[in-house]
Amino acid sequence: MRYFDTHCHVGLIHDDQLEQLLAVQYAKRAGVKHIISICNSLTDFDKIYSNLRSAREVYHAVGVSPSESGNQLIGWETKIPELVKLSRVVAIGETGLDYVKNFAPKATQVELFIKHLEIARKTDLPVIIHNREAGADILDILKTKIPDKGAVFHCYSEDWNFAKQALDLPVYFSFAGNITYRNIRKLTDTVMKLPPERILIESEAPFMVPARYSKRRNKPEYLPETAKVISLLKGIDEEEMTEILYKNSLKAFHLPEEA
């Protein structure tokens, strides 16, 4: 079986370049054919992109996360379109809104989010969305601002009612290791009701480790456990569901089958 990790903070798993490359290779041995590397800041992006340049299994997203929205951001609007020109950059993000951590005032976060959506439209790329208790605002913004190539709700945390509304948009719903936890009825209910062709999976490593590996730092090589639970919830054979998830990932990021 083959897997596509649509969201992994490779640079946070290890600081050392060799260890980062080894993490990619261990994931490959577990069947994870591709990984999208996520960096929360442009400074981190430069370093991680350089470290992983030789890893053909890795794609990249570029953006400024809500966690950085309170910092002084100089020149980011012109830098992102330049970084998009680099090989294997396939998405803008992660971006979005976080009303839990209060990294910056809501108005500041909204402005940053909308600018990312505009860049995604201009560069003809999908956008990866971070959403923590900001669903209503995000949905309102996406209704008029979503880029032509669509969006991915990463580490999905809303309920079925939100997903049902969002299905009218060109979006995918990505689930992380927390879907394997007990007592998460909101998420399991959403997975069971979502069309299979709209579901993705991610490691969100080094966070959101699947229950089987609890108390460890998460790694992309653990991703098959998330796929297994998704297949059980959907009532679809594991091999068939895993292949659906893989092909959904290619479609979400507009990649060829031979990617």
Side-chain angles (χ1 to χ4, degrees):
M1 290 184 283
R2 54 184 183 168
Y3 306 87
F4 197 127
D5 185 350
T6 62
H7 199 103
C8 177
H9 297 274
V10 180
L12 297 181
I13 301 174
H14 299 288
D15 291 328
D16 181 74
Q17 180 184 15
L18 178 58
E19 292 292 340
Q20 291 169 7
L21 292 171
L22 285 173
V24 173
Q25 289 306 306
Y26 290 142
K28 187 176 180 180
R29 291 180 186 178
V32 181
K33 187 174 181 182
H34 291 297
I35 294 170
I36 294 186
S37 172
I38 307 294
C39 296
N40 286 350
S41 73
L42 298 185
T43 301
D44 291 339
F45 178 86
D46 291 337
K47 178 182 178 181
I48 301 306
Y49 184 87
S50 177
N51 285 352
L52 300 176
R53 188 181 296 273
S54 64
R56 304 301 294 173
E57 302 87 356
V58 178
Y59 292 100
H60 300 267
V62 58
V64 179
S65 167
S67 64
E68 298 296 307
S69 58
N71 297 332
Q72 187 175 12
L73 304 174
I74 300 174
W76 71 270
E77 290 177 76
T78 56
K79 187 171 184 179
I80 289 179
E82 289 302 311
L83 293 175
V84 161
K85 298 175 184 178
L86 294 172
S87 173
R88 305 180 77 77
V89 173
V90 297
I92 300 297
E94 62 182 278
T95 181
L97 304 175
D98 193 318
Y99 292 169
V100 175
K101 292 291 188 177
N102 295 317
F103 295 112
K106 290 184 179 181
T108 301
Q109 291 192 48
V110 167
E111 181 181 7
L112 187 67
F113 179 40
I114 290 175
K115 287 182 178 179
H116 274 78
L117 295 174
E118 292 171 348
I119 291 173
R121 182 178 293 275
K122 290 177 182 177
T123 57
D124 200 30
L125 290 175
V127 64
I128 297 172
I129 296 175
H130 172 110
N131 169 25
R132 293 194 70 188
E133 296 188 11
D137 285 354
I138 284 178
L139 201 56
D140 284 345
I141 292 168
L142 289 180
K143 286 176 180 177
T144 58
K145 298 289 187 178
I146 192 167
D148 295 338
K149 288 295 176 67
V152 172
F153 287 108
H154 112 82
C155 198
Y156 187 77
S157 61
E158 294 281 351
D159 60 12
W160 165 242
N161 183 57
F162 179 94
K164 185 166 58 175
Q165 296 178 70
L167 279 170
D168 291 333
L169 301 169
V171 298
Y172 290 84
F173 305 82
S174 183
F175 294 87
N178 57 335
I179 195 64
T180 69
Y181 303 167
R182 295 183 181 275
N183 302 319
I184 47 157
R185 183 62 61 85
K186 179 174 70 172
L187 292 186
T188 55
D189 180 61
T190 301
V191 169
M192 288 189 286
K193 292 178 179 177
L194 275 174
E197 65 272 14
R198 293 291 197 99
I199 301 174
L200 308 177
I201 55 173
E202 63 181 83
S203 68
E204 173 68 328
F207 315 110
M208 292 292 179
V209 64
R212 180 179 176 183
Y213 304 102
S214 64
K215 298 183 180 180
R216 305 184 196 179
R217 282 170 62 83
N218 197 10
K219 302 176 183 178
E221 65 191 81
Y222 300 157
L223 187 65
E225 192 68 17
T226 301
K228 179 180 180 179
V229 171
I230 295 288
S231 70
L232 289 172
L233 291 172
K234 297 302 293 178
I236 299 174
D237 173 77
E238 184 177 354
E239 186 169 351
E240 180 183 353
M241 189 69 232
T242 296
E243 186 64 11
I244 290 171
L245 294 170
Y246 183 85
K247 290 183 176 179
N248 289 350
S249 303
L250 297 179
K251 292 177 182 176
F253 294 100
H254 306 275
L255 298 169
E257 169 59 30
E258 62 273 15

